[in-house]
Amino acid sequence: MMFRFLLIVVTLSRSSSLPYPAKENSASFWKTSGDEAVMDAVEKFENINKGVAKNVIMVIGDGMSLGTTTAGRVYIGQKQGELGEDHVTQLDRFPHIGLAKTYSLDHQTPDSASTGTALLCGVKTRSGMLGVTGNAEKCEQSTENHVYSALEKAIKKGKSTGIVTNTRVQHATPAASYAHITQRRWYSDRRVPRKNRKNCKDIATQLFEKRLGIQVILGGGRSPMRPNNVKDEEFPSKKGERLDGRNLIKEWEMDLNKRGKEAEYVWNKEQFMNVDVNSTDYLLGLFSPYEMKYKLDRFKDVSGEPSLAEMVQKAIEILSKNPKGYFLLVEGGLLDKAHHQGLARYALQEFIEVDNAIEVARAMTSEEDTLFLATADHGHMFTFGGGAVRGNPVMGLASSQRHPTKALDLRYFTSILYGTGPGFSIYSKTIPVRKSIKPWEIYSKSFRPQSAIPLNAGTHSAEDVVVYASGPMSHLIHGVNEQSYIAHVMFYAACLGEEYKQYAHCQNQSSLSEKQMMESKITTEIEEDGFEPEAETEDI
């Protein structure tokens, strides 16, 4: 009898305890919150900003699918002691959103090179290619088939530009803003086939040749910039990879200093934090030989690395000195790397890095003159659901971590799953039986949610991605569009290109006074160096 009494008490206790605030049971709660949201939307659409975007910031969460942003929202909320589902991320605060179709010319499921080219250059191309149209069959055809990015168009307009990433700066996404090449993996000349080296410039060389036009470069990627006989300053056992003997980092410093610029190269966090933004014209920060550390592993880096948000803050402080404005590209690229490895907790932590960077950037800028775009280049085969109850740990077992559900094979499963990747596991080599998950396993940061198909690395998804926008002309982000449309919104909003002079908002731009230009500490010598969007040049 005592056991039956205790069982009844426990049952009653569970049924009377709600997993959510009691006020949410009331219709008045949802009416009030709904009315407030409607009035907020009415105000936003009554005050649409149709002015010129002086500044443009584009943040790309590499592989940041809708499932990732949803799970990331819950993850952040739960880390802050909330249930999680009703948390509001920085992405959630953007007033305008739309969807972008991500396919490339030759692939239903795209890669970061073709999507980066679409987002930044306004042209769909074939997978693996950067800054060129699909007509470029071989690298020698890159010049005649190249297309110009928002960054390059901003340079032509006299704006300052910057690139921030936590991957190598030669990675496909940032490279799409400055490189024109048919193979995304030609980071240095060593990676270019011998027969192509004479006529095809590697990505690191193309970045160096645009040194005058790009004031801030922050990320990883020291090795592709150095010869193979030069030791890395942080990891002496590692050397550069260039075969041409050029040390592009030293050349960058020497050339800019010779031109009278205050140019600084840094490779660790202490040096980075000590950079004086007021006296620095150009900043090159390369914090690892290749990719930077995941946030969860950053403590292992003895020399220290800045966060994505810290790099964004420094970049804006330097770029905003130009009275003509700036273009800044930010990539949270480690999110994609984590998804490929099936490391969901790492991926969600990298989502927080992106969200934090957006928060910093929006706090430092104004919607009056800054077009802010945030999106993904593509998604991943990442799902989040499983019938989980409200407030269930985002990495937990479905449908409840306390009372998990067993699938038809009598084994537990998690709310997060991957369609493909290294998380596939079987209990026996002879009988294909799924490995059982222990409830405590999910708390390990290296826990891999199971995948349906065994692959060494998870694949991208072919789904549309969400585009978030605020600032001048941000209302143009709407509905479902080709991914290449996003670049044209930037071109139009910031009047990037001669063809946009015909539009009224571009004709009404207020011109800078000579005094403003004289007071500017960022000099724009692009015209002096002969940069024209219609022709290749080395010194931009």
Side-chain angles (χ1 to χ4, degrees):
M1 288 292 293
M2 179 63 73
F3 174 78
R4 291 181 61 188
F5 173 74
L6 288 174
L7 181 61
I8 292 173
V9 171
V10 170
T11 304
L12 289 173
S13 175
R14 284 177 182 163
S15 63
S16 62
S17 177
L18 298 174
Y20 55 87
K23 62 183 179 181
E24 293 185 11
N25 278 331
S26 169
S28 63
F29 169 79
W30 297 106
K31 182 182 185 304
T32 300
S33 61
D35 288 344
E36 289 175 353
V38 168
M39 296 312 297
D40 183 54
V42 168
E43 182 180 352
K44 287 175 181 175
F45 281 95
E46 284 180 344
N47 298 288
I48 288 177
N49 184 347
K50 295 183 179 181
V52 175
K54 174 184 175 183
N55 313 309
V56 178
I57 297 176
M58 171 171 271
V59 175
I60 298 176
D62 201 322
M64 190 176 68
S65 61
L66 180 57
T68 301
T69 61
T70 304
R73 176 194 298 136
V74 180
Y75 184 64
I76 295 173
Q78 291 181 347
K79 285 173 70 72
Q80 297 177 358
E82 307 166 6
L83 289 172
E85 294 84 0
D86 56 344
H87 180 75
V88 179
T89 66
Q90 294 303 313
L91 286 174
D92 296 334
R93 301 177 190 278
F94 280 86
H96 302 285
I97 66 169
L99 294 175
K101 295 184 277 188
T102 63
Y103 68 92
S104 66
L105 290 185
D106 57 348
H107 279 78
Q108 190 175 78
T109 302
D111 78 325
S112 292
S114 59
T115 54
T117 300
L119 284 168
L120 291 159
C121 303
V123 172
K124 289 234 175 191
T125 190
R126 288 185 281 126
S127 289
M129 305 203 306
L130 292 164
V132 294
T133 69
N135 288 324
E137 297 288 340
K138 50 188 178 180
C139 75
E140 289 80 3
Q141 297 174 328
S142 297
T143 300
E144 61 192 89
N145 291 295
H146 70 232
V147 286
Y148 287 92
S149 70
L151 180 143
E152 291 171 311
K153 288 173 178 284
I155 291 173
K156 172 61 178 174
K157 200 171 177 65
K159 296 180 183 293
S160 293
T161 68
I163 296 168
V164 172
T165 180
N166 49 21
T167 64
R168 67 191 77 186
V169 295
Q170 304 87 8
H171 179 246
T173 302
S177 70
Y178 63 82
H180 307 278
I181 200 165
T182 54
Q183 175 47 260
R184 58 172 288 183
R185 302 197 186 281
W186 290 352
Y187 305 124
S188 71
D189 65 324
R190 182 178 72 84
R191 316 245 182 168
V192 181
R194 188 184 300 272
K195 65 179 181 180
N196 299 123
R197 288 176 192 162
K198 181 178 179 181
N199 298 315
C200 304
K201 295 176 181 178
D202 61 88
I203 295 172
T205 296
Q206 293 192 47
L207 176 60
F208 168 77
E209 290 178 349
K210 292 183 172 64
R211 61 194 175 279
L212 283 182
I214 307 177
Q215 282 73 20
V216 177
I217 304 170
L218 299 172
R222 293 191 292 256
S223 289
M225 306 286 282
R226 286 181 169 144
N228 58 6
N229 61 351
V230 173
K231 293 181 179 180
D232 188 83
E233 53 266 80
E234 186 176 10
F235 306 103
S237 62
K238 297 182 179 181
K239 296 181 180 180
E241 61 174 64
R242 300 195 65 82
L243 301 178
D244 57 9
R246 296 185 68 183
N247 189 326
L248 299 180
I249 296 175
K250 280 194 172 181
E251 289 185 35
W252 180 90
E253 287 184 282
M254 291 174 61
D255 180 75
L256 289 171
N257 288 328
K258 186 173 71 173
R259 294 172 183 268
K261 308 299 181 187
E262 292 295 329
E264 189 167 356
Y265 163 67
V266 297
W267 62 269
N268 61 51
K269 185 171 183 178
E270 182 179 2
Q271 293 175 343
F272 172 79
M273 299 305 289
N274 288 333
V275 170
D276 183 351
V277 297
N278 294 316
S279 62
T280 301
D281 298 329
Y282 290 81
L283 176 61
L284 173 62
L286 300 177
F287 305 102
S288 64
Y290 295 104
E291 270 61 49
M292 294 175 67
K293 296 283 188 187
Y294 288 116
K295 170 62 172 68
L296 291 177
D297 292 339
R298 199 177 294 154
F299 69 94
K300 298 178 182 178
D301 193 298
V302 179
S303 299
E305 294 179 351
S307 68
L308 195 64
E310 289 170 332
M311 291 191 288
V312 166
Q313 178 177 342
K314 191 78 72 173
I316 293 176
E317 288 173 341
I318 292 175
L319 299 178
S320 60
K321 295 187 295 182
N322 186 345
K324 285 190 173 183
Y326 60 84
F327 173 85
L328 174 62
L329 172 64
V330 180
E331 182 205 22
L334 294 181
L335 199 165
D336 174 72
K337 305 292 183 184
H339 272 326
H340 278 305
Q341 294 179 287
L343 296 171
R345 192 180 300 276
Y346 276 76
L348 297 184
Q349 191 64 51
E350 291 306 316
F351 171 76
I352 296 179
E353 288 288 288
V354 173
D355 208 52
N356 289 343
I358 291 172
E359 181 177 19
V360 166
R362 294 197 77 188
M364 296 179 69
T365 56
S366 168
E367 290 191 20
E368 289 300 312
D369 63 2
T370 302
L371 173 63
F372 202 128
L373 298 168
T375 187
D377 50 353
H378 54 74
H380 263 272
M381 299 285 283
F382 171 92
T383 64
F384 175 53
V389 300
R390 179 86 178 266
N392 196 53
V394 69
M395 292 289 297
L397 298 175
S399 57
S400 167
Q401 179 66 17
R402 291 185 177 182
H403 306 284
T405 302
K406 287 186 177 180
L408 294 178
D409 61 1
L410 302 182
R411 282 167 168 73
Y412 297 134
F413 60 97
T414 53
S415 299
I416 288 176
L417 295 168
Y418 284 95
T420 59
F424 179 88
S425 61
I426 56 174
Y427 182 71
S428 170
K429 292 184 179 180
T430 57
I431 305 174
V433 179
R434 187 169 61 93
K435 184 180 178 182
S436 181
I437 301 174
K438 305 297 188 295
W440 57 85
E441 287 184 77
I442 62 104
Y443 295 106
S444 169
K445 71 177 184 179
S446 58
F447 170 71
R448 284 189 169 98
Q450 293 178 336
S451 61
I453 303 298
L455 291 176
N456 290 329
T459 59
H460 297 167
S461 66
E463 64 193 354
D464 295 352
V465 295
V466 183
V467 186
Y468 307 82
S470 65
M473 299 295 177
S474 59
H475 62 284
L476 298 178
I477 299 299
H478 71 290
V480 181
N481 288 284
E482 296 289 354
Q483 194 169 41
S484 52
Y485 169 77
I486 312 306
H488 292 278
V489 170
M490 292 191 290
F491 301 161
Y492 179 83
C495 305
L496 300 178
E498 294 295 318
E499 64 272 31
Y500 293 100
K501 285 186 176 180
Q502 61 180 301
Y503 297 106
H505 72 291
C506 296
Q507 294 174 352
N508 295 333
Q509 289 186 81
S510 56
S511 58
L512 292 167
S513 67
E514 287 188 17
K515 182 180 179 182
Q516 284 178 304
M517 289 302 298
M518 291 297 291
E519 290 177 349
S520 172
K521 292 192 176 183
I522 295 290
T523 57
T524 53
E525 301 184 12
I526 309 309
E527 295 83 355
E528 186 177 304
D529 273 13
F531 174 64
E532 294 291 340
E534 294 75 25
E536 281 285 345
T537 183
E538 291 194 351
D539 289 326
I540 60 172

